[in-house]
C-alpha cells in the first residue's frame, strides 16, 4: 500500500467512526472562545436561558470549522491531535436500565484506542467506572507496528467513579474538577475534538463547555432519526414502509391507531408498537389481535389487551411503557411476517465537505420471542440483496444530507423473500453509532482494508475479501466469575485470538461485563461468511467448556 493510499484509508477508518476533525491547526474563533467562557460561569435562574442560547451558538461556531479541518489537516498522520472519547449512551435511562450490564457498553468504543497508531495522536477516554488495565493492554497489543509503551504514554484514562444509570456525559458535567482535568489534558483545544456514541443536548453542552467540536449530527436534527421521523422521511424518499401510524402521543391515540390498522387489514394478526426514541429493539412491543373477529375490534377490546403486550425489553411492563409513550410518543405498524425474513442494515457517512458515501451493509441478528431484539450482525449483508438495500437507502440518505445531517448513520430494513424476489420495507434510521459500528471499524483498523461500494465487499490491501460475525449479547451463567485475564488466557491457549498476519480470528469487547454478568461481545473475522460463523460457534463452545471449570 502506498503512503498516500494508507493515509486515505486511515481517513476512511476515522470518518467511519466520526473522527475526522482531530488535527486542528486553526484557532478556535475568538467569539466562540468568549462564549465558551460565558457558559463556564455558574448557572443562576437569571442566566439559565442566556447560557442555553450561548451553548447553541458556541456549538454552531465550533462545528463550522470542520470542513476546512477535514480537507486541510486530517490527511497528515503525523500532525499532533487530541481525541476526547466520551462513550456515553445518552438514551432513555429507564429503558437503558433494562439492558444487562448497560454501563459496560461504554467499552465498545475502546476500538478508538487504535487511533494511537498515529504517533503524535493523544487519546483521552472517559468512563463511568475505571477500566481494568488488562483490558486496556488487550486493545493496545492489537496496534500494528506501535510499541505498547509508546501508545500507553499517549493515552489518558479518566473515570467518574459513578456506577449509577445516569448518562456518562451528565456525570462529567456534574464534576467541575473532572472537567478541569480534561481541559488540562486537552491542552491546546484547537488541536482537539470529541467523539461520542450519540450527540444529544448533553454532548452539545459538554462540547461547548470544553470548546471542542464534535464530528456528529447536530442534536437539533435528532427528530429525523426517531421512529416517527424515520417513517415520514422514508415516505418522502419513495421507499416502501409497513402500513401504520406515527406521531402517536398517548394511550388513546395508540388505541385508535390499532383499531384503524385492523379495520384497514382484517387479516392482520399482529402489530408492532415502537417508542420514538427506543434503541436495539428495547423500546418495542408486539400487540396480538388473537381472538378478534375480522375487523370488528373496539377501543375497549384493544385497551383490555394492552397490559398483555409482548415487551422486548426485560422486566418492561405496561405502566412503564405507557409512561414512555406519554414522554416520547410512539408509532404502530403492521408486523411484517414471512417464512424467510431478514433484517439488513446499511451504513452511510456524510463528511464535513458534504460528500455522501455508503460504508457497509450488515444482516442484523435479531432474537427474542418476536425477533425484535438486536443481538449482533453479519458482514456483509447477503449478496442477493445487499446492493439493492444500499441503493434504496441512498434515496433516504440524500434527504438526510439535504437536512444537514453529518457523520455516520444507519438505515434498517425488513426484507421478505417472495416468489418474485426480495421485498424490502424501510424500518428505521439511527443517527448515531450502533451495534454495527464498532465491529466494522475494528475490521478496518486491524486489516487496513477498504469497503468496495460497487460489490459490497471488504477487501484487504492484498485484495482478499474479509467477513465477520459479531455480537454484543453473548451471555451465559457459565461465564460468571471469568475475569478478563481468564478470557485472554483462554483465547491464547485455544488459538482464537486475532492473528495480524493471517488477518483472521476473534477480538473481544464488553470484557468488563464478563465476570459480574456473564456477558461479553466479540467480532469473529474470517475469509468467508461460513468461516466467520464457524469461528463464532467454536469460540462459544470453548467458552462454554471453560466456564464450567
Amino acid at each position: 500500500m502506498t503512503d498516500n493510499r494508507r493515509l486515505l484509508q486511515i481517513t476512511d477508518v476515522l470518518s467511519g467512526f466520526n473522527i475526522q476533525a482531530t488535527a486542528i491547526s486553526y484557532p478556535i474563533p475568538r467569539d466562540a472562545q468568549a462564549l465558551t467562557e460565558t457558559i463556564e460561569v455558574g448557572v443562576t435562574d437569571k442566566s439559565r436561558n442566556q447560557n442555553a442560547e450561548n451553548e447553541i451558538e458556541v456549538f454552531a461556531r465550533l462545528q463550522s470549522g470542520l470542513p476546512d479541518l477535514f480537507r486541510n489537516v486530517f490527511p497528515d498522520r503525523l500532525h499532533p491531535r487530541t481525541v476526547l472519547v466520551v462513550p456515553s449512551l445518552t438514551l432513555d435511562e429507564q429503558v437503558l436500565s433494562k439492558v444487562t450490564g448497560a454501563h459496560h457498553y461504554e467499552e465498545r468504543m475502546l476500538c478508538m484506542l487504535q487511533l494511537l497508531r498515529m504517533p503524535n495522536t493523544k487519546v483521552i477516554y472517559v468512563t463511568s467506572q475505571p477500566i481494568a488495565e488488562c483490558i486496556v493492554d488487550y486493545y493496545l497489543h492489537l496496534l500494528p507496528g506501535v510499541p505498547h509503551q509508546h501508545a500507553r504514554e499517549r493515552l489518558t484514562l479518566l473515570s467518574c467513579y459513578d456506577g449509577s444509570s445516569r448518562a456518562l456525559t451528565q456525570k462529567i458535567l456534574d464534576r467541575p474538577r473532572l472537567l478541569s482535568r480534561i481541559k488540562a489534558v486537552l491542552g491546546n483545544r484547537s488541536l482537539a475534538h470529541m467523539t461520542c456514541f450519540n450527540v444529544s443536548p448533553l454532548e452539545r453542552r459538554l462540547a461547548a463547555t470544553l470548546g471542542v467540536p464534535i464530528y456528529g449530527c447536530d442534536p437539533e436534527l435528532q427528530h429525523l432519526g426517531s421512529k416517527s421521523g424515520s417513517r415520514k422521511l422514508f415516505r418522502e424518499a419513495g421507499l416502501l414502509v409497513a402500513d401504520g401510524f406515527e406521531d402517536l402521543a398517548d394511550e388513546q391515540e395508540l388505541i385508535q391507531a390499532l383499531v384503524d390498522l385492523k379495520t384497514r387489514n382484517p387479516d392482520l394478526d399482529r402489530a408492532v408498537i415502537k417508542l420514538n426514541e427506543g434503541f436495539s429493539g428495547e423500546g418495542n412491543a408486539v400487540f396480538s389481535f388473537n381472538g378478534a373477529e375480522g375487523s370488528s375490534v373496539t377501543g375497549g377490546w384493544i385497551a383490555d389487551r394492552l397490559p398483555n403486550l409482548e415487551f422486548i425489553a426485560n422486566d418492561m411492563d405496561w405502566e412503564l411503557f405507557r409512561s414512555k409513550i406519554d414522554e416520547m410518543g410512539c408509532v404502530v405498524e403492521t408486523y411484517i411476517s414471512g417464512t424467510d425474513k431478514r433484517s439488513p442494515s446499511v451504513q452511510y457517512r456524510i463528511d464535513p465537505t458534504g460528500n455522501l458515501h455508503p460504508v457497509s451493509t450488515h444482516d442484523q441478528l435479531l432474537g427474542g420471542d418476536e425477533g425484535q431484539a438486536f443481538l449482533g450482525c453479519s458482514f456483509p449483508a447477503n449478496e442477493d440483496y445487499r446492493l439493492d438495500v444500499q441503493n434504496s437507502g441512498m434515496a433516504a440518505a440524500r434527504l438526510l444530507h439535504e437536512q444537514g445531517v453529518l457523520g455516520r448513520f444507519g438505515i434498517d430494513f425488513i426484507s421478505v423473500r417472495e416468489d418474485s424476489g426480495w421485498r424490502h420495507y424501510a424500518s428505521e434510521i439511527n443517527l448515531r453509532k450502533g451495534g454495527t459500528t464498532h465491529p466494522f471499524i475494528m475490521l478496518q483498523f486491524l486489516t487496513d482494508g477498504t469497503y468496495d461500494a460497487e460489490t459490497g465487499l471488504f477487501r484487504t490491501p492484498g485484495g482478499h475479501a474479509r467477513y465477520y460475525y459479531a455480537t454484543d449479547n453473548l451471555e451465559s451463567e457459565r461465564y460468571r466469575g471469568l475475569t478478563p485475564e481468564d478470557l485472554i488466557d483462554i483465547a491464547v491457549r485455544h488459538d482464537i485470538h486475532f492473528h495480524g498476519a493471517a488477518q483472521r480470528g476473534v477480538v473481544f469487547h464488553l470484557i468488563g461485563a464478563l465476570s459480574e454478568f456473564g456477558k461479553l461481545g466479540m467480532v469473529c473475522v474470517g475469509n468467508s461468511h461460513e468461516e466467520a460463523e464457524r469461528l463464532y460457534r467454536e469460540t462459544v463452545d470453548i467458552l462454554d467448556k471453560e466456564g464450567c471449570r
Side-chain angles (χ1 to χ4, degrees):
M1 180 183 288
T2 66
D3 289 342
N4 286 339
R5 183 182 172 191
R6 187 176 299 276
L7 288 175
L8 289 173
Q9 176 55 26
I10 291 174
T11 299
D12 181 69
V13 170
L14 301 183
S15 62
F17 218 63
N18 296 350
I19 303 296
Q20 282 101 326
T22 51
I24 302 174
S25 62
Y26 306 99
I28 299 173
R30 190 177 302 275
D31 48 0
Q33 290 179 324
L35 288 169
T36 298
E37 293 171 1
T38 301
I39 291 174
E40 292 172 356
V41 174
V43 176
T44 65
D45 291 338
K46 185 176 181 180
S47 65
R48 192 178 304 277
N49 290 338
Q50 183 63 47
N51 275 357
E53 294 175 2
N54 288 345
E55 171 193 308
I56 294 173
E57 186 175 351
V58 169
F59 184 74
R61 292 180 184 274
L62 290 169
Q63 299 298 96
S64 68
L66 287 176
D68 283 342
L69 299 174
F70 182 78
R71 281 189 295 261
N72 302 326
V73 178
F74 197 75
D76 184 0
R77 67 182 290 271
L78 296 178
H79 199 291
R81 68 198 75 187
T82 302
V83 181
L84 171 61
V85 184
V86 181
S88 179
L89 277 70
T90 310
L91 303 166
D92 184 83
E93 184 176 325
Q94 288 180 295
V95 176
L96 187 62
S97 68
K98 306 299 181 183
V99 179
T100 303
H103 75 269
H104 287 288
Y105 277 67
E106 295 172 6
E107 296 178 23
R108 292 196 300 183
M109 288 182 67
L110 283 171
C111 60
M112 300 310 301
L113 300 193
Q114 298 294 306
L115 289 169
L116 295 167
R117 65 193 292 172
M118 295 183 287
N120 292 316
T121 293
K122 297 180 180 179
V123 173
I124 306 169
Y125 202 101
V126 189
T127 52
S128 293
Q129 295 274 48
I131 300 174
E133 193 65 31
C134 65
I135 297 176
V136 177
D137 288 344
Y138 174 77
Y139 281 91
L140 293 183
H141 276 100
L142 293 171
L143 284 167
V146 180
H148 176 277
Q149 182 178 353
H150 193 281
R152 188 62 182 87
E153 289 175 350
R154 292 180 284 115
L155 170 64
T156 299
L157 300 173
L158 296 173
S159 174
C160 297
Y161 295 91
D162 183 345
S164 69
S165 60
R166 293 186 307 147
L168 168 62
T169 307
Q170 185 64 67
K171 297 172 186 176
I172 297 171
L173 288 166
D174 289 344
R175 288 165 167 79
R177 289 182 174 84
L178 178 57
L179 283 170
S180 296
R181 285 195 289 275
I182 293 173
K183 291 175 186 176
V185 181
L186 282 172
N188 185 347
R189 281 176 277 179
S190 69
L191 296 174
H193 94 288
M194 185 168 79
T195 183
C196 29
F197 176 78
N198 63 318
V199 186
S200 77
L202 284 179
E203 283 70 38
R204 180 178 62 196
R205 184 182 310 161
L206 180 60
T209 300
L210 295 173
V212 295
I214 303 175
Y215 184 7
C217 189
D218 189 323
E220 296 300 312
L221 300 176
Q222 287 300 315
H223 65 279
L224 297 171
S226 69
K227 302 301 185 290
S228 291
S230 297
R231 287 180 55 86
K232 288 185 283 190
L233 189 133
F234 289 147
R235 285 201 299 270
E236 184 180 351
L239 301 183
L240 179 66
V241 294
D243 188 19
F245 300 88
E246 58 272 354
D247 292 324
L248 305 177
D250 55 34
E251 179 182 3
Q252 291 306 311
E253 290 189 6
L254 171 61
I255 291 172
Q256 187 59 52
L258 286 166
V259 170
D260 293 344
L261 198 59
K262 181 64 170 174
T263 301
R264 290 205 300 233
N265 185 357
D267 295 328
L268 183 64
D269 61 349
R270 283 178 292 178
V272 182
I273 304 166
K274 301 178 180 179
L275 297 176
N276 260 336
E277 306 301 331
F279 51 91
S280 299
E282 298 291 336
N284 294 4
V286 177
F287 181 88
S288 174
F289 287 101
N290 185 36
E293 297 182 3
S295 61
S296 58
V297 295
T298 64
W301 188 90
I302 297 287
D304 289 343
R305 286 157 178 78
L306 285 176
N308 299 317
L309 287 170
E310 293 289 336
F311 300 104
I312 306 307
N314 295 328
D315 301 323
M316 181 68 76
D317 58 37
W318 170 239
E319 290 305 316
L320 177 57
F321 196 78
R322 176 168 56 186
S323 72
K324 293 303 171 184
I325 294 175
D326 293 338
E327 179 181 328
M328 65 180 68
C330 70
V331 305
V332 63
E333 56 191 31
T334 298
Y335 183 96
I336 304 299
S337 300
T339 55
D340 192 356
K341 185 173 74 169
R342 314 283 178 86
S343 183
S345 177
V346 189
Q347 290 68 50
Y348 302 90
R349 183 184 64 250
I350 300 173
D351 69 38
T353 64
N355 292 314
L356 166 64
H357 303 283
V359 295
S360 62
T361 67
H362 294 80
D363 276 321
Q364 297 182 100
L365 309 174
L366 303 181
D369 294 339
E370 300 293 343
Q372 295 285 309
F374 178 82
L375 299 180
C377 60
S378 176
F379 170 85
N382 189 292
E383 63 180 343
D384 289 345
Y385 52 71
R386 62 178 173 241
L387 295 182
D388 289 340
V389 293
Q390 178 177 283
N391 294 334
S392 295
M394 186 62 78
R398 291 191 184 99
L399 291 179
L400 292 171
H401 176 271
E402 293 174 6
Q403 293 288 331
V405 167
L406 174 67
R408 186 184 178 103
F409 58 92
I411 297 178
D412 297 344
F413 291 84
I414 298 174
S415 300
V416 179
R417 189 197 295 271
E418 299 179 345
D419 292 340
S420 59
W422 289 92
R423 187 174 179 84
H424 306 292
Y425 297 84
S427 176
E428 60 187 67
I429 298 169
N430 294 304
L431 294 181
R432 53 172 170 77
K433 299 175 179 65
T436 61
T437 305
H438 56 283
F440 186 76
I441 296 304
M442 185 57 76
L443 177 67
Q444 288 182 297
F445 273 132
L446 292 173
T447 67
D448 274 335
T450 57
Y451 177 73
D452 180 3
E454 297 298 319
T455 63
L457 292 175
F458 181 92
R459 296 194 180 278
T460 67
H464 304 292
R466 285 294 180 268
Y467 302 74
Y468 61 74
Y469 192 98
T471 181
D472 290 337
N473 289 279
L474 181 59
E475 188 172 356
S476 173
E477 286 294 323
R478 298 181 181 187
Y479 306 159
R480 289 180 183 265
L482 288 175
T483 67
E485 292 90 346
D486 293 332
L487 177 66
I488 295 168
D489 177 64
I490 291 168
V492 172
R493 284 193 292 105
H494 290 275
D495 197 29
I496 56 176
H497 182 64
F498 185 84
H499 291 266
Q503 296 189 326
R504 66 175 298 278
V506 180
V507 178
F508 294 103
H509 56 274
L510 294 180
I511 300 174
L514 181 60
S515 186
E516 180 179 358
F517 300 101
K519 181 177 183 177
L520 79 161
M522 59 180 170
V523 183
C524 303
V525 180
N527 299 320
S528 66
H529 274 306
E530 293 75 19
E531 184 182 30
E533 186 168 354
R534 182 172 63 253
L535 186 56
Y536 171 79
R537 302 299 176 195
E538 290 174 358
T539 303
V540 172
D541 288 343
I542 290 168
L543 291 174
D544 285 348
K545 292 175 183 177
E546 293 283 350
C548 293
R549 297 182 180 181

